[in-house]
Amino acid sequence: MTITKALKYKNIDWTEAQILLSHVLNKEKLFLLTHGDYSLTESEEKGYIDCVEKRLEGVPIAYITHKREFYGRDFYINENVLIPRPETELIIDVVKSLSLPNNSKVLDLCTGSGIIPITLMQEIDNIEVIGADISLKALEVARINAQKYGNNIIFIESDMFEDVPKEKYKVITANPPYIPTHDSNSLDEDVKREPSLALYGGADGLYFYRIILGKGKEYLQEKGFMVLEIGYNQKDQIETLACENGYKVVFFKDLQGFDRVALLCLNI
Ligand SMILES: C[S@@+](CC[C@H](N)C(=O)[O-])C[C@H]1O[C@@H](n2cnc3c(N)ncnc32)[C@H](O)[C@@H]1O
C-alpha cells in the first residue's frame, strides 16, 4: 500500500489519517504530502491498519498515538488520563500573569497526566510544584511526563487534600471533574471513552469545587490564589460558591468566549 492509498483507506477522515500515518511511520506530515508513492513495509501497513480499525471502533486518536500537545509540548497520554484540552492552557496563562515570587509553592489538584504542573515548571522559574491525584494509574502517566521534561515534581496519591502535605501554598490550581453526572448520555462518543473518574463532578458538577474552595482555605496562603478551570456554563454557580466561602473571583474567557478559568483569592 502506498501513502496515497493509505490516506484513503476505509475513507477515514483525511486529517485523522494523516495523524495516524505519521505516527506509524514516525515522520512529519510534510513527508506524507511529498512522498505519496512511498510503499509501506509489511509491518508499517499492519500497524497503520490496526490504528485505523481502532479509530473506526471509536478509540480517540490520542489514545492510539499516545500523544497530545499542550502549551507547545508533547505529552504522553493513555486511557487512564483525560486527554488534555486546549482550554486548560488558559490556567497556565493566568498563573504566569501572577508574576509569582521566587520559591512560590504551587499545588495542582486532580493533576491527571501532569500537564499543568509540568508546564508551570517549564514556563516559570524558581517555583516548587506538587501534583496530586486519586488515580495511581494517572500518576504513572504524570511521572512519565515529568521525567521527559526533567521536572522535579512531587506527585502524590491523594483523595483531594487528604494526603497533601499540610502547608500554605501560594497557588492552588485544578481542572477537576466538573460534568454533572446526569449529562453522561449527551457526551460525544470520544469523551465517553475517557475515564469516568476524570469527568464527573457529582449531581450538579460542583462536588470538587465545594471541597477545593472549602477545605482549600486551610492550604492557601493569606495572599494566595486559586486558579481553577470550570465548565462552560458554571460561572454563576462558581461565583455563588466563591462568595459563600469568602473569596473574591474573576473569570477569564477561553477562545470560544466561554468563562473558563476562575481566579480566586481570599477576601481579607
Ligand atoms: C478533568 S481531569 C484533569 C486532568 C488534568 N489536570 C488535565 O487538565 O488534563 C480530573 C482528574 O481528577 C482526578 N480525580 C478524580 N477524583 C479525584 C479525587 N477525589 N481526588 C483527587 N483527584 C481526583 C481524576 O483522576 C483526573 O485525573
Side-chain angles (χ1 to χ4, degrees), residues 70 77 80-85 88 91 108-117 132-136 138-139 156-162 174-178 195-200 207-208 211 229:
F70 181 80
I77 296 302
N80 297 313
V81 294
L82 188 91
I83 299 168
R85 307 289 203 270
T88 307
I91 291 188
D108 181 52
L109 293 171
C110 303
T111 204
S113 57
I115 51 165
I116 296 172
D133 200 288
I134 199 170
S135 161
L136 265 182
L139 291 172
I156 296 168
E157 181 192 6
S158 178
D159 181 353
M160 298 310 284
F161 289 99
E162 216 158 90
N175 174 19
Y178 54 64
S196 312
L197 197 57
L199 298 176
Y200 302 113
Y207 173 80
F208 292 99
I211 297 174
E229 179 167 328

Side-chain angles (χ1 to χ4, degrees), residues 73 122 187 268:
R73 297 178 184 87
Q122 294 294 115
L187 297 180
I268 41 167

Side-chain angles (χ1 to χ4, degrees), residues 167-172 215-226 247 264-266:
E167 293 184 39
K168 296 283 187 183
Y169 297 89
K170 180 71 182 173
V171 182
I172 298 177
K215 190 85 181 151
K217 276 180 253 181
E218 296 169 30
Y219 292 80
L220 194 62
Q221 287 178 12
E222 235 181 52
K223 292 187 176 166
F225 301 95
M226 288 192 178
Y247 294 87
L264 303 105
C265 60
L266 285 165

